[in-house]
Amino acid sequence: MLRILQAGFATLMMAFLILPIVAILPLAFTDSVFLNYPIESYSLRWIQELGQSAQWSASIVNSLIIGSGATVLSVVLGTLAALALRGSAIPFPDVVRTIFLLPMVVPAVVLGVGLQISLARMGLSSTYLGVIVAHTVLCVPFVIVSVSTALQGIDRTTERAAASLGAPPATVFRRVTLPLAMPGVVTGAVFAFATSLDEVVLTLFVAGPNQRTLARQMFSSIRENISPAVAAAALLLILGTLLLAGLAAFLRRRPAGAPA
Amino acid sequence: MSGVFANARLRAALLILPLALFLGVFFIWPLWTMVAVSVHNDAIGGALPQTSVAIGQWDGEGMPEAAVRDALVADLRDTPRSVLGGAVRVLNSQVSGFRTLMSRTAEAAQDAAPGDRLDLLSVDERWGEPRFWRAIQLSVAPYTDRNLLAALDLERNADGDVVAAPEATSANRLIIWRTFAIAGTITALCALIGLPYAMLAAALSGWKRNLMLLAVLLPLWTSLLVRTAAWFILLQNEGLINGALMWLGLTDGPLPLIFNRLGVVIAMTHVLLPFMVLPIYSVVAAIPKNLMPAAASMGATPFAAFRRILLPLSLPGLLAGSLLVFMVAIGYYITPALIGGPNDQMISSIIAFYALQTANWGMAGALGLILLAITTVLYLVYSRLSRASAPTGL
């Protein structure tokens, strides 16, 4: 009896967790203008809409521009910081790490208000650079966490061995540390890109009409006139995330030390 | 040797510097700016510059000197009406009647011939009452707690005491309590579902455990907007849930599931459930497997063993998960904004309203400061409890 109850509860909850996401995907292929079941006839019109409508296609391009910018910036800054946080050279490493991870915790609306005011004072409001730095603030913690994890897994004797063989620190870093940490860097980059892709609140506060991202476009489309284009965009986002997750998993499985 | 250490220190400092600078400029400074804006006071100082300087000398007893009165007349003559409007609104909120008083005086000041000395008492005898002057004096200070008090539905009366704001002028306290109520409901629901779910997953092994964990991780990896859009589509009147209920004959018409509290709670529970399950799972999975058989061998019934052993040992995970869910929930904006009705908007929504729609950054900053303070306290407790480096269980 208990067994059946347990199995029933687990199944029900798994359905609650997964079915909502699965349920909207077929609607991306509806021929109707309504987001309803049953789907009477299928077509690709809403997928095409994403590419043809100026608003949707511009938002996809913007997401790619801003996502790439935020990824590059956060990977560079986060990897350098993660390298510094390894070892004991920084005083109070735990405190420093906590401060670096704070952007994950601060409510997005709070940071949004602050960034809206201070980016405006810097003349960066409604610019691509402004949106990119805003997203980078949120992306950096993910890079620090994943690169730090990868660095912890490195046997430091390999680096000492390289140094004892006469390699200068820069060479040790380039030929030993970085290749070994590469899976962590790539994972961090994937997380950073996914975070930027999904970010809405900061974008609402700091972006102008020209920096409207896909997530922002989905947000206002749900709010104003929801159409199956939202389901098509959701499908696109899910496929994109799966692609990124697959890329990360593939790179993580590579034997450590393989040339990156 | 010390040279090597100094070298390593320098290198680490150089590596950390770019991010420290970046977060200083684009994270710490913006938060500081928000706090500063909420306590900054320029509505009066900017509109009445000469009065601000002159009234600083006044001791607040009796009537201000002639210099102060002349400065006010000069300010009213020189300041454009549009700038004056904001100042008058602030003053009127402190002492009612200021609006008519100021507009009458400004008109007289602008009509007066240049060089003529305007007698304020003859324009309006209210200028003979010190409380109007005191309101101006109180308002010219460069910093004010007006926004912070207003964020809690408080204000200062003419004597400078903190009192409750008149009812119906603002509903901030209501919205703060509502935020706590919604976040609390969601936390309780997540705990109710998450605890047994995580325990079940930890008790299983092999593919069954992996399947249960995958079911938690999959939504976590899915875009938040996709999840919110999914619930929007499922909960609407013609949506799958109402369709299924009507097809089963359980209801005649569509149940109101969207644009109300029920919809917000369902959707946010779905979004935040992984934050509850993962911390509990990591605690429960670390409990030695032989504890429960050991308890049974000592004669404990399964229920007693659960209540006396498994439950107490998993409490740290439950506490960490609850703190995390509550902390994330009180700052939520997107899901209530899209799924909730006007009576389900949380504190984030009014912050966004003040900042994006009315450009009232003082109020947005004050409410933001309150939200930031609550979140920070919760995070400090959480990190003390879990000692985890990453709050999302990454």
Side-chain angles (χ1 to χ4, degrees):
Chain A
M1 188 59 201
L2 188 66
R3 272 282 162 81
I4 297 170
L5 258 172
Q6 285 178 344
F9 172 79
T11 315
L12 209 67
M13 285 308 133
M14 287 197 291
F16 171 65
L17 283 163
I18 292 183
L19 281 187
I21 304 167
V22 177
I24 69 159
L25 298 183
L27 289 169
F29 301 102
T30 185
D31 195 32
S32 147
V33 291
F34 300 110
L35 267 163
N36 291 343
Y37 282 99
I39 297 172
E40 318 248 299
S41 62
Y42 291 85
S43 85
L44 292 176
R45 61 180 283 199
W46 296 108
I47 311 272
Q48 286 167 346
E49 166 91 5
L50 293 189
Q52 282 160 2
S53 126
Q55 273 195 332
W56 282 104
S57 58
S59 74
I60 294 170
V61 173
N62 279 337
S63 271
L64 293 176
I65 295 173
I66 291 163
S68 318
T71 303
V72 171
L73 199 55
S74 58
V75 163
V76 171
L77 294 171
T79 304
L80 293 180
L83 283 166
L85 282 170
R86 183 173 68 147
S88 52
I90 294 281
F92 307 113
D94 289 341
V95 177
V96 176
R97 181 186 297 270
T98 307
I99 293 174
F100 285 171
L101 295 181
L102 272 184
M104 273 179 164
V105 186
V106 170
V109 171
V110 171
L111 186 58
V113 172
L115 276 170
Q116 188 183 37
I117 303 169
S118 50
L119 286 182
R121 288 185 187 166
M122 286 182 248
L124 286 177
S125 54
S126 304
T127 64
Y128 281 97
L129 187 61
V131 186
I132 288 173
V133 294
H135 282 202
T136 303
V137 173
L138 290 190
C139 297
V140 151
F142 292 96
V143 178
I144 292 185
V145 169
S146 63
V147 177
S148 293
T149 313
L151 287 175
Q152 269 169 17
I154 297 178
D155 187 352
R156 296 208 83 164
T157 50
T158 53
E159 292 169 307
R160 274 189 225 118
S164 75
L165 289 169
T171 311
V172 175
F173 173 71
R174 196 165 47 83
R175 303 282 299 273
V176 180
T177 315
L178 193 58
L180 285 174
M182 211 52 192
V185 177
V186 173
T187 312
V190 168
F191 271 115
F193 192 80
T195 305
S196 166
L197 208 59
D198 201 23
E199 212 299 315
V200 185
V201 183
L202 290 187
T203 317
L204 276 172
F205 279 92
V206 303
N210 290 330
Q211 291 86 38
R212 186 175 270 251
T213 59
L214 181 60
R216 168 84 176 74
Q217 170 69 20
M218 277 180 80
F219 178 81
S220 49
S221 162
I222 296 174
R223 221 178 199 186
E224 285 143 27
N225 54 335
I226 188 158
S227 77
V230 171
L235 179 73
L236 188 73
L237 270 183
I238 288 183
L239 289 180
T241 316
L242 281 179
L243 197 74
L244 284 171
L247 179 77
F250 171 73
L251 285 160
R252 232 193 266 195
R253 270 199 194 175
R254 267 158 93 130
Chain B
M1 269 321 263
S2 72
V4 176
F5 278 124
N7 212 341
R9 283 239 153 132
L10 184 68
R11 199 159 54 215
L14 283 178
L15 286 173
I16 219 162
L17 196 64
L19 182 60
L21 279 176
F22 181 85
L23 289 182
V25 175
F26 295 110
F27 179 63
I28 306 291
W29 190 54
L31 291 182
W32 173 249
T33 310
M34 185 199 72
V35 175
V37 162
S38 71
V39 295
H40 189 62
N41 186 28
D42 57 359
I44 312 286
L48 307 173
Q50 301 176 51
T51 318
S52 307
V53 176
I55 209 165
Q57 315 289 326
W58 181 42
D59 59 3
E61 300 292 324
M63 287 295 296
E65 303 84 27
V68 179
R69 284 176 276 170
D70 290 343
L72 180 67
V73 173
D75 278 336
L76 289 177
R77 196 170 44 222
D78 299 342
T79 308
R81 278 292 169 98
S82 55
V83 179
L84 210 54
V88 171
R89 202 162 37 226
V90 172
L91 289 169
N92 199 59
S93 73
Q94 290 174 28
V95 181
S96 62
F98 237 119
R99 197 184 301 276
T100 54
L101 177 60
M102 283 298 243
S103 65
R104 185 179 298 172
T105 314
E107 242 163 64
Q110 274 152 13
D111 290 346
D116 261 12
R117 196 147 186 209
L118 190 66
D119 181 18
L120 286 175
L121 276 171
S122 67
V123 175
D124 195 311
E125 57 192 17
R126 279 178 289 182
W127 285 120
E129 297 175 42
R131 61 192 182 108
F132 287 98
W133 293 102
R134 217 173 291 134
I136 295 180
Q137 192 184 31
L138 283 174
S139 309
V140 297
Y143 296 100
T144 175
D145 53 9
R146 181 166 14 96
N147 290 318
L148 282 171
L149 291 173
L152 296 169
D153 292 349
L154 299 168
E155 64 179 24
R156 280 187 191 278
N157 63 14
D159 297 326
D161 299 323
V162 175
V163 293
E167 300 243 356
T169 52
S170 152
N172 291 333
R173 239 188 268 184
L174 172 77
I175 292 168
I176 292 171
W177 283 124
R178 178 195 294 163
T179 304
F180 284 155
I182 295 179
T185 311
I186 290 158
T187 310
L189 269 174
C190 282
L192 224 58
I193 302 172
L195 184 70
Y197 190 94
M199 284 182 162
L200 251 156
L204 292 169
S205 57
W207 67 270
K208 285 181 181 166
R209 170 193 282 206
N210 288 340
L211 191 67
M212 282 190 83
L213 288 180
L214 191 70
V216 175
L217 290 175
L218 217 63
L220 198 61
W221 290 333
T222 311
S223 155
L224 172 66
L225 266 172
V226 172
R227 286 181 279 169
T228 308
W231 279 109
F232 190 97
I233 293 164
L234 285 175
L235 295 172
Q236 57 184 321
N237 283 349
E238 303 81 27
L240 265 188
I241 295 179
N242 268 319
L245 290 176
M246 285 193 283
W247 182 75
L248 289 170
L250 292 174
T251 68
D252 293 331
L255 294 178
L257 297 173
I258 198 165
F259 306 132
N260 58 27
R261 190 72 54 90
L262 182 64
V264 173
V265 169
I266 294 176
M268 281 183 67
T269 302
H270 178 255
V271 169
L272 295 175
L273 189 54
F275 293 104
M276 182 68 82
V277 171
L278 292 176
I280 302 180
Y281 174 80
S282 67
V283 168
V284 177
I287 299 173
K289 283 268 178 282
N290 49 17
L291 274 184
M292 293 296 277
S297 77
M298 316 271 282
T301 61
F303 179 70
F306 169 80
R307 193 174 56 83
R308 303 273 303 269
I309 298 187
L310 194 55
L311 194 60
L313 283 176
S314 42
L315 276 186
L318 182 67
L319 201 59
S322 303
L323 274 169
L324 192 58
V325 169
F326 190 81
M327 184 176 83
V328 178
I330 56 169
Y332 240 66
Y333 173 64
I334 293 173
T335 311
L338 293 178
I339 309 249
N343 291 323
D344 315 302
Q345 297 305 309
M346 297 165 68
I347 187 167
S348 285
S349 301
I350 25 170
I351 296 175
F353 169 77
Y354 279 127
L356 296 174
Q357 262 142 352
T358 65
N360 186 346
W361 285 289
M363 277 306 289
L367 286 160
L369 182 59
I370 292 172
L371 181 57
L372 182 64
I374 299 171
T375 312
T376 309
V377 170
L378 287 172
Y379 178 62
L380 289 178
V381 177
Y382 167 83
S383 62
R384 255 293 158 82
L385 278 174
S386 67
R387 305 216 169 268
S389 53
T392 53
L394 186 77

